[in-house]
Amino acid sequence: MNTILTLFDRSLTLRRYPAHLQDKNEQAWDAADELLIGELQDAPAPSLGKVWILNDDCGALTSYFSHFEPIWIGDSKVSQLACEQNLALNHIAPAQVTFYDSLHCPDDKPDWVLIKIPKTLALLEHQLQMLQSKVNDNTRVVASGKVQLIQKSTLTLFEKYLGPTKTSLAKKKARLVFCTPQAHSPLPSTFPTSWPLAGTPFVIHNHANVFARQQLDIGARFLLEHMPDCQGKKVIDLGCGNGVLGLSILQRFAEAQVIFVDESFMAVESARLNVQSNLPERMKDCEFVVSNCLEQLNDSVARTIDLVLCNPPFHQQNRITDHIAWQMFNDAKQALKPGGELCIVGNRHLDYFQKLKRLFGGCRLVAGNAKFSILSASKR
């Protein structure tokens, strides 16, 4: 795996996070990063001023421009951890970068805004809505992304919320987007969105970067039909998304406690909003944690959890991977009490059964249909 990015007069050691679980063929930067760095290379250093960097997956941009003390803004805890890891690998002081989650941004105004185009168009729209009141005629806005992510709809969003937009020619299957902000009355935010959860009195709220923003995803629906007994149990809703599974547990089981965990800041905030707006009296029975799997809380919950519920993702940003599921299973085993249960729903073709059987020493099929399997493994 190539871990050294060399561009112009700088070389950086860059790794994905967590490094020990990554595919050896995957590097921690892409052509879109290289195009952005090249575009700013000729800009006079004093003119850069205050630099905001949005959606920097592994910290390549943040590390390269660290001497400008940039602002990092993103929705992924894993991306933040990757950036912090790569700053350390390159002996860059942590104080040179300030981190903001995707729901917040600084009060001051940037001179440059660098955007990696996210896979989720709604997240980009939220970020452009956020930038409306922060940019002015002198702000330089440059975005980059893979060619397939830069569609007419992408450019329309830039023009709608900021101003005239054009693109560069494609290079290495990536291209740049140049946007010239123009003064106008900011358009109102369209997030969070909301929709009624069929068969319940609940209204579900979703921030922009949350999976299944407009309806219950079919995997979660299947798991809700086969929910384990949670009465009196301490439960982790791992990869909670908007928190529908945990919310259902709180509704059905008066003595259950739920820890909502996700690596997306917007997901955890959506889960918090959904409990607060639908079952406010149960907030005392909840915790909300932004974490890479259970990494940020495993020491505090080790061997104390009765049940972990999980619908493991097999994508990270634009990559297909099973390392997230494997880390979730291992972290769950560490968190569970002896006799505690991990219950997952997953696509049948992913063959989680063998992984769980190997890790826990046994696994059983709870239910299955043409698309999904629900599996249960108990800690011995």
Side-chain angles (χ1 to χ4, degrees):
M1 175 177 61
N2 183 15
T3 60
I4 307 298
L5 168 64
T6 300
L7 281 176
F8 306 103
D9 59 345
R10 296 201 62 191
S11 292
L12 295 170
T13 299
L14 299 171
R15 296 192 177 101
R16 291 187 171 274
Y17 188 92
H20 69 284
L21 291 176
Q22 300 302 317
D23 186 324
K24 293 181 179 180
N25 295 318
E26 294 279 0
Q27 63 184 26
W29 71 92
D30 59 19
D33 292 312
E34 294 178 7
L35 283 179
L36 262 180
I37 290 170
E39 178 63 24
L40 270 69
Q41 188 63 29
D42 295 330
S47 74
L48 284 180
K50 296 176 181 176
V51 178
W52 291 10
I53 302 174
L54 280 64
N55 312 319
D56 189 7
D57 289 346
C58 297
L61 297 172
T62 306
S63 298
Y64 198 94
F65 296 115
S66 59
H67 50 297
F68 295 110
E69 299 188 350
I71 301 293
W72 180 101
I73 302 173
D75 191 50
S76 168
K77 182 67 174 178
V78 172
S79 291
Q80 180 181 337
L81 291 167
C83 186
E84 292 171 344
Q85 165 190 267
N86 288 325
L87 293 174
L89 284 172
N90 292 284
H91 310 290
I92 299 168
Q96 287 187 238
V97 178
T98 304
F99 291 91
Y100 281 81
D101 66 60
S102 52
L103 292 162
H104 303 90
C105 65
D107 293 328
D108 58 2
K109 297 183 182 297
D111 298 295
W112 284 77
V113 179
L114 310 181
I115 304 174
K116 285 290 292 294
I117 301 293
K119 181 179 179 182
T120 305
L121 197 62
L123 174 59
L124 177 64
E125 183 169 13
H126 160 82
Q127 291 174 331
L128 296 176
Q129 290 171 354
M130 179 181 70
L131 287 170
Q132 289 178 105
S133 62
K134 299 297 181 179
V135 299
N136 55 41
D137 296 348
N138 297 317
T139 308
R140 295 286 302 275
V141 178
V142 186
S144 67
K146 294 181 179 180
V147 168
Q148 65 264 33
L149 292 178
I150 302 176
Q151 305 291 332
K152 183 177 179 181
S153 57
T154 313
L155 305 181
T156 298
L157 288 178
F158 278 92
E159 294 183 337
K160 176 180 179 180
Y161 293 107
L162 298 185
T165 301
K166 62 181 181 180
T167 65
S168 71
L169 295 175
K171 184 177 181 181
K172 294 183 180 179
K173 299 182 180 179
R175 62 167 29 115
L176 295 171
V177 175
F178 304 96
C179 182
T180 305
Q182 291 185 342
H184 65 272
S185 298
L187 298 171
S189 174
T190 54
F191 303 101
T193 56
S194 60
W195 45 274
L197 181 59
T200 77
F202 299 153
V203 174
I204 302 301
H205 306 275
N206 285 65
H207 286 286
N209 196 38
V210 181
F211 181 67
R213 287 187 306 106
Q214 298 175 322
Q215 60 185 358
L216 183 63
D217 78 271
I218 54 179
R221 182 183 298 117
F222 189 45
L223 185 53
L224 285 173
E225 294 170 0
H226 301 275
M227 184 68 71
D229 179 12
C230 300
Q231 189 67 304
K233 293 182 178 179
K234 190 171 184 179
V235 181
I236 292 179
D237 183 356
L238 177 55
C240 64
N242 57 27
V244 166
L245 293 179
L247 187 67
S248 178
I249 290 170
L250 294 169
Q251 179 196 33
R252 298 184 195 183
F253 304 101
E255 297 179 11
Q257 296 176 290
V258 181
I259 304 175
F260 296 85
V261 181
D262 204 290
E263 73 99 22
S264 161
F265 294 94
M266 284 187 167
V268 172
E269 191 55 37
S270 297
R272 186 196 309 274
L273 177 59
N274 284 324
V275 177
Q276 180 65 61
S277 61
N278 290 291
L279 295 172
E281 70 281 3
R282 298 302 306 274
M283 285 291 287
K284 67 183 187 310
D285 300 312
C286 301
E287 294 179 52
F288 303 89
V289 182
V290 181
S291 176
N292 170 38
C293 299
L294 297 179
E295 180 181 326
Q296 276 59 59
L297 70 162
N298 238 338
D299 288 344
S300 64
V301 300
R303 299 172 64 87
T304 68
I305 302 300
D306 298 290
L307 174 66
V308 177
L309 287 177
C310 180
N311 182 359
F314 54 95
H315 289 87
Q316 185 179 36
Q317 282 91 41
N318 299 308
R319 302 161 56 238
I320 296 175
T321 175
D322 69 350
H323 83 268
I324 302 172
W326 185 240
Q327 184 180 353
M328 283 180 161
F329 301 161
N330 278 275
D331 287 0
K333 184 180 179 184
Q334 182 179 342
L336 288 170
K337 292 177 178 178
E341 177 188 6
L342 169 63
C343 183
I344 74 160
V345 60
N347 293 73
R348 293 185 63 169
H349 72 273
L350 295 173
D351 196 23
Y352 288 143
F353 186 94
Q354 294 301 325
K355 280 185 166 59
L356 293 176
K357 183 178 179 181
R358 184 164 77 249
L359 180 63
F360 284 85
C363 180
R364 68 182 179 90
L365 175 67
V366 176
N369 60 23
K371 187 172 179 62
F372 294 101
S373 295
I374 298 175
L375 304 173
S376 173
S378 297
K379 184 173 181 178
R380 296 181 176 181

